[in-house]
Amino acid sequence: MSSLMEAVRAGRTPEVVSLLDEMTDAERRSLLPELKALRKELRAAPWEADARRAYPPLYAAGVACQTGAAAVAAWIAAADMRWSQTAPALLLRILGDRSPEWLADLAHRLAERPASSAVPYELMSGLVRLSGCPVPTTDAYVRGWMGHLGWAWRQGGTLLDRLRPDPHLTELVAALFETGDIGGQLEWPHGDGPDTWTGALARLTAEGVLDRKVMVDACVSRLLRGGTNTELRVFLRLLKLLDLGRDEERERTGDWLALASAAVSPVASHAQSVLAALALDGELTTRRLAEMSDAVLFRPEKKLVRAQLVLLGKVLTRDAATADELLPVVAQAFGHEDSDVQERALKLVERHLKKPGSTQVRGELAVAAEQLIPALRSRAGLLLGSTPAAPAPALAYEEILPPAPHPARLDPAPVSAVEVAEEVGAALAAEPGVAGFERALAGLVRHAYRDREMLLEALGPVLTRRWWYDADSPDGPNHTGRFDRSDFTVSDAEDGLDLLLAALFGKVNPGTPHAFVRQGPTVRDCGHGALSRAFAARLWEVAYRLRTDPLPFLLSTPTWSTGLLEPDELVDRLDEYRRLGARVSAADFAQALLRVRRTDRAAAARAAERATALGTAEGARLADWLGEAEPGLPTTRRRTSGNRILLECGEILELQGDFPAEFRPLGRPTSVVEERWYCHHWSNDIRPHWLALLPERRELVAGRLLPDLSAGAVHDERGAAAVLPLLAESGGEAGEAVHLGLAYGLGARHAEDRLAAVDALLILAARGQLDAARLGADLGQLVWRGALKPLRLAESARTAAATGANATIWELLRHALPVLLAELAVGGSGSAVSARGLGELLAVAAESAEHCGARGEIPHLAQTAERRGSSRLVSQARRLRTALALGMAA
């Protein structure tokens, strides 16, 4: 080993640099193979003490011994070299004898690397200084420059002080506006003073250090390019700090029109204010104002639309000659989704209707008035002298619901060991759902029975990344290491497959699976415990049988994606077990009983006769099970927990008797107190599999999921409502638990959870299983108690109504509103609903009633409508009262 390599391995960086200084270029190049070999060696254990010691001198030596700029750039930016902690000043010293052209090439190659390469800015800027080349304006260089200036606060002075002497200030500031996703970095630190980016750039512009026109054009261009609110907020703040004069604003009229039309709300609002000032000063033509209004009135943001109507009103008041051109523009707001906006626009037309000199304008207004809500449409007809079209009768309305979903039939189990391995690999890579999991499980069991060795060989590549599998460790598959029950927590499909694979490869102590089944229910389990233990019991017993007495196939593999098993198919499987003389797994058979369809009484009776004829104990048990009445709803009792409403279910005796111990908790009473115990069921992926445990008893599952579903609304947790569409597609009667869980989902904090709840609502309605009165009453109670926020509920209801389910939404809100209006009517202070939130609910109710032609009365609605003022609550109450009186389907 050479003296240089000894010094590198020992971590003696100064000695390495000294030795390199004494070498010729040829001698340095000859050392490169050894340096690369050492680098490869260190990659295997980069955090070991020897590696941490060797990396700094290795980094410096590799830079010195390579001659090409591309090779040096690759060495410097390599991921394994990133943490070498070698000072940029040392690298600059090593490279200082290269030609300026070479250094410029290296500087630009490093600057073109992604910012994630973390090339030190001090190194890049030093190369620029040594070479005298133009400064790079790449993403990595600009971000590095900003970071360098930001961290220089330790040296004292403000950001403004550090920017002013920068020789490349103009080029780099211009590059800021071209760099994507830079807004967050520009916003730190916050504020507008000389120690912030916006404040410093505005001050430099005012001092003339930066060209004002260039800065203004760059700001406006960046806003026109678009982006998120977060990204554009800082550029808008800078534009405001530049404090444009009237001439500067006027010459960019086209830009303001484009921003008001299509920019994000804060930017559009600023552009609107600039154009409004120009219009009120007579510096914006009527045609341009009409063009602006066409775009703004089409936007969904009510604040922008209201501001535009106010501007149009001021212009019309000041100059009556503009009415011919502007009133038809005002009428575009007649089609806005918000009825308050429609009413504002109609009032504006009423105020200025006598000003137009053309009769054609009145005709245009009459046509546009057809977009108004029914109450306003009648008012517009009287105003314009037109006869509104006769309203269609309520019976003409047709509810539009999605097609009722049908479960998918499971494909047969894979026919070859290679296909089984592919199915298992896919199921381990991503949540497979009930169908994918059950097919993978069925394939493992079948092929472990038919050709175990071929299956083990096919599964080899699948196991390389499993946590329990390491061929080179004492716990590898060729050694005697074993895992116990504590190593496997079967809490989802991936855990279950890991357990079976580990058992198949002999990695689980033989007695561990059997011990799990014999132990019985866990004391002080959480509310999900019964579902979790039943799911795990079958897998532990199958794991045990894989090593002792393999099953020929599973009895419990479902026929349908919901987990449902056809009774004739189960009889056929028991018949095949009888023919083979195979011993039935108690847990697998129990799961099959829970899955077998009993709601089709004729099919159940025929299958029961065939099961009896088998002459086996399992056949007789199945016949008795099929002969019992189809599952009904459990008895329930409501309990309150804070502002939540939860359910306690009574005992179900038929799930107690002949079932294994791990399945009996499914039929035991539940208590809301159970949720207080520690729960490790964090993953939402397991919930579809719990539903597949009891595909004809979704109420039992829903009752145990209520604490999770309520947490999405009360505690703003995410993801639990994803199970609601599956709950709606499942079997059994949809009772109190399903509807209460759906109510929580409709008021969930996160938009994706609310969308899942809307899907479930529409599925239940399409299947004819939605009890709108029950759900509406639950919604009213939960809003009143403060468990649901009315604005969230209004958004969910509006989303569902937009699909065409207006009658369904009206029926829900018809039963939800009375309790909230009653509290308002008596002036109660105990309600958690705000007047604004209630106003939004009334707006959705009014929209739905208008569309479906609902009629009737809502208790306490009249008192709300007769309140003084024009708040949204009062205006929407009046609108709903009018809609119910007219009974018009729009």
Side-chain angles (χ1 to χ4, degrees):
M1 181 185 298
S2 67
S3 57
L4 179 79
M5 294 305 299
E6 289 180 0
V8 169
R9 287 185 176 274
R12 298 193 293 269
T13 303
E15 181 181 343
V16 168
V17 174
S18 177
L19 291 170
L20 288 169
D21 287 341
E22 298 172 359
M23 294 181 182
T24 65
D25 288 346
E27 289 173 333
R28 291 179 182 180
R29 285 195 297 271
S30 68
L31 291 170
L32 195 57
E34 291 184 78
L35 293 173
K36 289 182 176 180
L38 176 59
R39 177 184 176 185
K40 183 178 180 180
E41 177 188 328
L42 297 182
R43 275 201 203 112
W47 304 113
E48 296 292 334
D50 291 344
R52 292 199 305 272
R53 183 169 54 246
Y55 262 123
L58 173 64
Y59 189 51
V63 170
C65 293
Q66 302 190 76
T67 57
V72 173
W75 186 277
I76 290 173
D80 57 328
M81 295 292 187
R82 193 171 300 164
W83 309 109
S84 68
Q85 303 299 319
T86 302
L90 177 60
L91 297 182
L92 291 171
R93 176 182 175 280
I94 292 172
L95 296 170
D97 59 349
R98 310 286 176 105
S99 69
E101 294 78 16
W102 190 96
L103 293 173
D105 185 17
L106 177 60
H108 281 269
R109 287 180 182 275
L110 291 174
E112 287 166 3
R113 292 273 173 170
S116 57
S117 296
V119 177
Y121 167 76
E122 293 83 354
L123 175 60
M124 293 187 288
S125 62
L127 292 170
V128 170
R129 185 180 65 255
L130 290 173
S131 66
C133 68
V135 64
T137 55
T138 62
D139 182 84
Y141 196 92
V142 172
R143 291 181 185 277
W145 174 67
M146 293 180 64
H148 173 72
L149 289 173
W151 280 105
W153 62 268
R154 300 174 180 177
Q155 302 171 11
T158 64
L159 180 60
L160 176 63
D161 298 329
R162 297 190 290 276
L163 280 169
R164 189 179 282 115
D166 194 309
H168 304 294
L169 178 66
T170 301
E171 299 95 318
L172 291 173
V173 168
L176 285 178
F177 296 93
E178 303 299 327
T179 303
D181 298 325
I182 201 72
Q185 199 168 348
L186 277 170
E187 273 204 310
W188 184 257
H190 299 294
D192 299 321
D195 207 28
T196 66
W197 279 97
T198 52
L201 293 176
R203 184 75 63 85
L204 290 170
T205 304
E207 293 173 359
V209 178
L210 296 173
D211 185 271
R212 178 175 181 81
K213 186 176 186 306
V214 170
M215 289 294 291
V216 173
D217 286 343
C219 277
V220 174
S221 297
R222 184 63 190 86
L223 296 176
L224 284 168
R225 200 156 70 239
T228 64
N229 280 340
T230 303
E231 176 71 8
L232 297 181
R233 184 169 50 215
V234 64
F235 295 104
L236 178 60
R237 184 186 306 136
L238 176 57
L239 182 63
K240 290 179 179 179
L241 287 174
L242 291 176
D243 193 20
L244 273 62
R246 180 51 53 88
D247 290 340
E248 292 175 309
E249 292 177 339
R250 189 189 310 107
E251 69 184 21
R252 293 174 175 81
T253 299
D255 294 332
W256 306 130
L257 288 170
L259 292 172
S261 302
V264 296
S265 289
V267 177
S269 179
H270 176 72
Q272 183 187 42
S273 66
V274 173
L275 290 170
L278 291 172
L280 293 176
D281 287 346
E283 299 185 67
L284 189 69
T285 65
T286 304
R287 184 181 61 81
R288 282 295 185 98
L289 178 58
E291 180 184 343
M292 169 197 179
S293 301
D294 277 340
V296 174
L297 294 178
F298 188 73
R299 295 183 65 119
E301 298 97 329
K302 290 181 285 188
K303 182 179 179 181
L304 291 176
V305 174
R306 287 196 297 264
Q308 193 66 23
L309 291 175
V310 170
L311 171 61
L312 288 169
K314 290 179 179 179
V315 174
L316 284 165
T317 300
R318 189 190 62 191
D319 187 358
T322 61
D324 280 350
E325 193 167 356
L326 295 184
L327 280 185
V329 174
V330 172
Q332 293 201 29
F334 289 174
H336 198 276
E337 63 181 14
D338 185 71
S339 63
D340 287 347
V341 169
Q342 293 184 17
E343 186 170 13
R344 283 172 180 263
L346 182 56
K347 286 180 178 179
L348 190 56
V349 170
E350 289 172 340
R351 193 177 307 126
H352 301 282
L353 183 60
K354 296 180 180 179
K355 295 178 180 178
S358 171
T359 57
Q360 181 182 352
V361 173
R362 189 177 290 267
E364 292 179 20
L365 295 174
V367 172
E370 293 300 318
Q371 303 174 80
L372 292 167
I373 62 174
L376 296 179
R377 195 185 311 156
S378 301
R379 180 170 146 191
L382 295 174
L383 171 69
L384 298 169
S386 60
T387 304
L395 293 177
Y397 171 77
E398 183 178 352
E399 185 84 341
I400 300 175
L401 294 170
H406 297 286
R409 181 179 282 272
L410 259 67
D411 294 329
V415 297
S416 69
V418 173
E419 290 176 305
V420 172
E422 291 175 351
E423 290 273 348
V424 171
L428 290 171
E431 166 53 34
V434 172
F437 172 68
E438 292 292 343
R439 289 191 73 247
L441 185 60
L444 280 175
V445 172
R446 280 181 179 273
H447 286 273
Y449 178 81
R450 293 178 180 178
D451 194 338
R452 183 189 190 90
E453 294 305 318
M454 184 175 291
L455 177 62
L456 293 179
E457 181 181 353
L459 287 170
V462 176
L463 306 183
T464 54
R465 295 187 178 181
R466 306 319 297 167
W467 61 268
W468 49 267
Y469 181 93
D470 185 354
D472 296 324
S473 75
D475 288 335
N478 300 319
H479 300 272
T480 59
R482 296 289 186 271
F483 292 101
D484 292 317
R485 174 182 171 182
S486 59
D487 297 307
F488 287 94
T489 301
V490 183
S491 57
D492 57 24
E494 182 182 2
D495 292 342
L497 290 174
D498 266 325
L499 171 64
L500 295 186
L501 291 171
L504 193 61
F505 279 84
K507 300 302 299 170
V508 181
N509 283 327
T512 297
H514 195 52
F516 177 92
V517 177
R518 288 188 289 103
Q519 274 190 352
T522 302
V523 179
R524 290 190 175 183
D525 213 344
C526 69
H528 310 111
L531 299 168
S532 178
R533 291 184 66 81
F535 173 78
R538 178 176 63 138
L539 297 171
W540 279 102
E541 190 162 319
V542 169
Y544 174 71
R545 293 289 296 271
L546 283 175
R547 298 297 301 173
T548 58
D549 182 15
L551 300 167
F553 52 84
L554 292 174
L555 295 172
S556 59
T557 301
T559 309
W560 304 99
S561 57
T562 58
L564 202 60
L565 173 60
E566 294 297 337
D568 281 333
E569 196 168 333
L570 179 54
V571 175
D572 291 341
R573 293 173 186 175
L574 286 174
D575 189 22
E576 181 65 12
Y577 260 68
R578 180 187 59 80
R579 189 185 68 77
L580 295 172
R583 182 167 61 90
V584 170
S585 160
D588 182 39
F589 183 55
Q591 176 63 93
L593 291 178
L594 294 176
R595 284 178 168 170
V596 71
R597 185 196 296 272
R598 291 196 288 167
T599 51
D600 185 341
R601 300 308 300 158
R606 292 192 299 269
E609 292 180 7
R610 292 184 56 212
T612 301
L614 294 177
T616 63
E618 289 79 17
R621 175 75 175 96
L622 174 59
D624 290 342
W625 180 256
L626 291 173
E628 295 180 9
E630 63 182 85
L633 293 176
T635 58
T636 59
R637 182 177 65 167
R638 291 198 165 205
R639 294 286 297 272
T640 58
S641 176
N643 57 359
R644 295 185 293 173
I645 300 174
L646 301 176
L647 293 179
E648 294 183 335
C649 294
E651 188 174 30
I652 302 175
L653 294 177
E654 69 172 355
L655 297 181
Q656 300 287 309
D658 296 328
F659 281 89
E662 293 298 281
F663 287 81
R664 292 174 196 159
L666 292 171
R668 290 178 184 160
T670 63
S671 169
V672 297
V673 177
E674 289 177 340
E675 69 165 305
R676 299 177 188 171
W677 301 116
Y678 175 76
C679 176
H680 64 274
H681 305 105
W682 307 300
S683 172
N684 294 319
D685 293 341
I686 187 59
R687 287 166 173 76
H689 302 281
W690 287 344
L691 272 173
L693 281 172
L694 299 158
E696 287 191 327
R697 289 185 176 275
R698 58 181 163 188
E699 274 290 294
L700 291 184
V701 181
R704 289 174 166 86
L705 293 181
L706 276 179
D708 305 320
L709 293 169
S710 66
V714 177
H715 301 309
D716 295 347
E717 294 183 8
R718 187 190 297 270
V723 76
L724 287 173
L726 299 177
L727 198 63
E729 294 176 21
S730 192
E733 191 170 346
E736 195 170 11
V738 169
H739 283 80
L740 193 55
L742 179 56
Y744 283 119
L746 291 171
R749 161 66 178 83
H750 298 284
E752 62 268 30
D753 288 329
R754 294 196 297 272
L755 286 174
V758 169
D759 286 344
L761 171 71
L762 297 175
I763 290 170
L764 286 174
R767 297 182 70 184
Q769 298 171 341
L770 180 68
D771 187 338
R774 167 181 279 169
L775 179 57
D778 285 342
L779 290 171
Q781 285 293 325
L782 291 172
V783 171
W784 180 81
R785 294 178 62 86
L788 301 186
K789 290 182 169 56
L791 288 176
R792 298 176 186 172
L793 177 58
E795 182 180 334
S796 296
R798 184 171 278 116
T799 300
T803 68
N806 289 287
T808 300
I809 296 305
W810 163 245
E811 193 65 17
L812 293 184
L813 296 180
R814 183 170 73 86
H815 291 88
L817 288 171
V819 64
L820 307 176
L821 294 174
E823 182 72 15
L824 190 67
V826 299
S829 59
S831 173
V833 63
S834 66
R836 176 169 172 255
L838 183 52
E840 287 299 322
L841 283 176
L842 285 168
V844 180
E847 292 166 12
S848 299
E850 289 164 355
H851 281 88
C852 69
R855 300 197 68 170
E857 295 183 359
I858 297 290
H860 311 292
L861 177 63
Q863 294 96 311
T864 306
E866 290 166 3
R867 291 163 66 103
R868 301 177 63 182
S870 58
S871 66
R872 185 159 181 79
L873 172 66
V874 175
S875 66
Q876 294 304 316
R878 292 169 182 166
R879 176 187 176 189
L880 177 56
R881 181 178 62 176
T882 302
L884 295 177
L886 292 173
M888 297 171 62

